[in-house]
Amino acid sequence: MNYFNMQYTSGAAALGAIAATAIYYYLHPKNENLIRTWKAVGNVTKLHLHPLKSGRRLELTSADCTDVGIRQNPEDQEGLQLRDRTYLVYGEKNNEFKTARTFPQLLLVQMSVHDKDQIRLDAPGMPTLLFKVPTKLKNKELRVKVHQSEEIYSIDCGDEAANWISNYIHGDSTPGLRIGYHDGSMKHRRNILKIYKSFSIYKNLTNKSAGLYSDLSAVLLVNQASVDDLNDKLREENRVVSENFRSSITIAGEGAPAYAEDDWEWLKIGEAVFRNVKPCTRCIMTTINPDTGVRNPEREPLKTMETYRRLRDIKDNPVEGKLTVMGIYLEVYKEGTIRLNDVVYIG
């Protein structure tokens, strides 16, 4: 097997990287000659997991990267580990998903682990709710409608959770919001290429790229330098933080200037290997303060991004050219653990 001339600073790191790469290319022999050099560009500065779609983030020190997204590391969370965007809110009448685009107060709902089989929900002005992780043996199975009328498998979390989220959003339970859960089963994986036919222009995007209830891929990466550059263009009262962009991984470093991530293809962080499959296009969600749930009255930062970060200004893209971009969608090519301060390599 043809191994690569990797550039690492320590013998231990080099040995670990060679071993990881050997395993990876054994599993993906057709890609054996794609990467000859890994270049260090920065470090992981933030690891965030959003167990409830549109809910508040959990800040992690390490995470397991799985093919459907990041998951809490058993070293940090014993018993039950939450996955990224594995729960979502939906309407009882039509099974359509609900997000902070419509209900910005969802951003303040904190989901966490209570014990080995119970989930905890907290939100301003609400009593804490504990509920058991639903199973298809005891709870209703359904399909929840998301973007482009895509229908994704879900297990309902029960009436108590439904009443809680309805009371929080609407003040009573009559409008009928409910919470759904994806068990991560392989037989319920998404067929995103069938739903998003126009995305065939993104040659690296495959059905294996998809997350559970994420808008598209399993992992989202944001470069802090890109956020800083955007802030330089905004008035002080409109400046944002990387959390506005709801990334799984935030990175920073001298080798990662603003928007360099647009052109990265392969990344290696810790034990995991990723491939850039698509630019992350942005919506009104970026205009909501992630810590208060309050919308920016001037529609910032989206308004400013529309002056210089439309996809048509960055790439020749006939499909999503009018949309703005911040960050990149990643497919997990090799699963493994990543940690805060891990070196980020590109290939």
Side-chain angles (χ1 to χ4, degrees):
M1 183 175 290
N2 181 23
Y3 299 114
F4 310 115
N5 177 26
M6 302 200 180
Q7 298 177 345
Y8 296 98
T9 57
S10 71
L15 289 173
I18 291 171
T21 306
I23 294 171
Y24 168 66
Y25 284 102
Y26 176 77
L27 295 174
H28 301 83
K30 66 181 180 179
N31 295 317
E32 184 172 355
N33 296 312
L34 285 178
I35 307 172
R36 297 193 177 278
T37 302
W38 288 104
K39 176 185 176 183
V41 295
N43 298 83
V44 175
T45 57
K46 296 177 183 177
L47 279 176
H48 289 159
L49 181 140
H50 303 85
L52 175 69
K53 186 176 180 66
S54 279
R56 188 166 175 79
R57 66 194 177 273
L58 289 175
E59 299 180 359
L60 308 180
T61 57
S62 66
D64 288 340
C65 289
T66 76
D67 60 347
V68 291
I70 68 171
R71 178 180 61 202
Q72 288 177 307
N73 187 339
E75 294 177 6
D76 302 325
Q77 178 62 61
E78 295 182 357
L80 176 65
Q81 291 86 44
L82 290 171
R83 292 177 180 267
D84 190 62
R85 294 169 174 89
T86 192
Y87 291 84
L88 88 172
V89 177
Y90 71 94
E92 187 171 29
K93 290 184 178 180
N94 53 18
N95 290 355
E96 288 186 354
F97 80 132
K98 308 297 180 183
T99 72
R101 298 174 183 90
T102 306
F103 302 117
Q105 62 268 49
L106 274 175
L107 290 172
L108 307 184
V109 177
Q110 182 73 76
M111 178 176 281
S112 58
V113 172
H114 178 68
D115 57 29
K116 64 180 181 180
D117 62 357
Q118 289 192 106
I119 300 298
R120 172 176 174 150
L121 283 177
D122 291 284
M126 292 293 293
T128 294
L129 174 71
L130 303 180
F131 68 92
K132 287 191 175 183
V133 177
T135 68
K136 61 183 179 181
L137 297 177
K138 296 181 179 180
N139 298 67
K140 177 184 175 181
E141 296 177 278
L142 67 147
R143 311 289 294 189
V144 175
K145 298 174 187 176
V146 296
H147 298 293
Q148 301 293 318
S149 298
E150 179 186 7
E151 296 185 353
I152 306 179
Y153 174 78
S154 191
I155 304 173
D156 185 74
C157 292
D159 291 342
E160 194 174 8
N163 290 337
W164 189 94
I165 195 65
S166 294
N167 277 315
Y168 173 62
I169 297 297
H170 292 304
D172 60 63
S173 58
T174 53
L177 296 179
R178 303 190 70 86
I179 298 177
Y181 165 70
H182 199 307
D183 63 359
S185 170
M186 287 295 294
K187 69 178 181 179
H188 297 304
R189 291 294 298 271
R190 298 162 64 186
N191 188 342
I192 55 176
L193 295 184
K194 178 181 178 181
I195 300 297
Y196 303 93
K197 291 184 173 65
S198 63
F199 285 1
S200 60
I201 65 169
Y202 300 110
K203 300 304 181 183
N204 293 341
L205 185 69
T206 72
N207 285 330
K208 292 181 180 179
S209 306
L212 296 176
Y213 292 134
S214 61
D215 284 353
L216 193 69
S217 79
V219 174
L220 172 60
L221 181 141
V222 164
N223 180 1
Q224 184 62 50
S226 301
V227 178
D228 292 344
D229 181 79
L230 170 61
N231 278 330
D232 287 343
K233 298 172 172 59
L234 295 170
R235 295 200 308 272
E236 184 174 357
E237 64 269 23
N238 291 330
R239 288 177 181 168
V240 295
V241 291
S242 62
E243 285 78 6
N244 281 70
F245 302 99
R246 299 183 65 77
S247 63
S248 316
I249 303 169
T250 302
I251 66 102
E254 292 184 1
Y259 315 117
E261 68 276 12
D262 292 345
D263 299 316
W264 295 344
E265 182 170 4
W266 295 93
L267 296 91
K268 183 181 184 302
I269 305 172
E271 300 172 349
V273 175
F274 308 88
R275 194 173 193 182
N276 179 359
V277 297
K278 183 184 175 301
C280 182
T281 54
R282 293 301 177 170
C283 68
I284 202 70
M285 183 89 81
T286 60
T287 69
I288 307 170
N289 185 307
D291 294 319
T292 66
V294 176
R295 295 185 190 275
N296 182 286
E298 299 180 48
R299 215 173 131 269
E300 293 289 13
L302 205 56
K303 182 178 177 181
T304 293
M305 291 174 65
E306 288 169 348
T307 66
Y308 79 107
R309 283 293 291 173
R310 290 187 190 271
L311 190 49
R312 67 188 179 198
D313 300 326
I314 304 164
K315 310 271 186 182
D316 181 15
N317 189 307
V319 175
E320 299 181 292
K322 293 182 179 180
L323 301 179
T324 61
V325 173
M326 180 67 76
I328 52 177
Y329 282 125
L330 302 179
E331 178 178 320
V332 179
Y333 254 66
K334 177 181 176 292
E335 297 182 338
T337 301
I338 63 175
R339 302 178 188 279
L340 278 181
N341 301 316
D342 273 352
V343 177
V344 178
Y345 298 93
I346 62 170

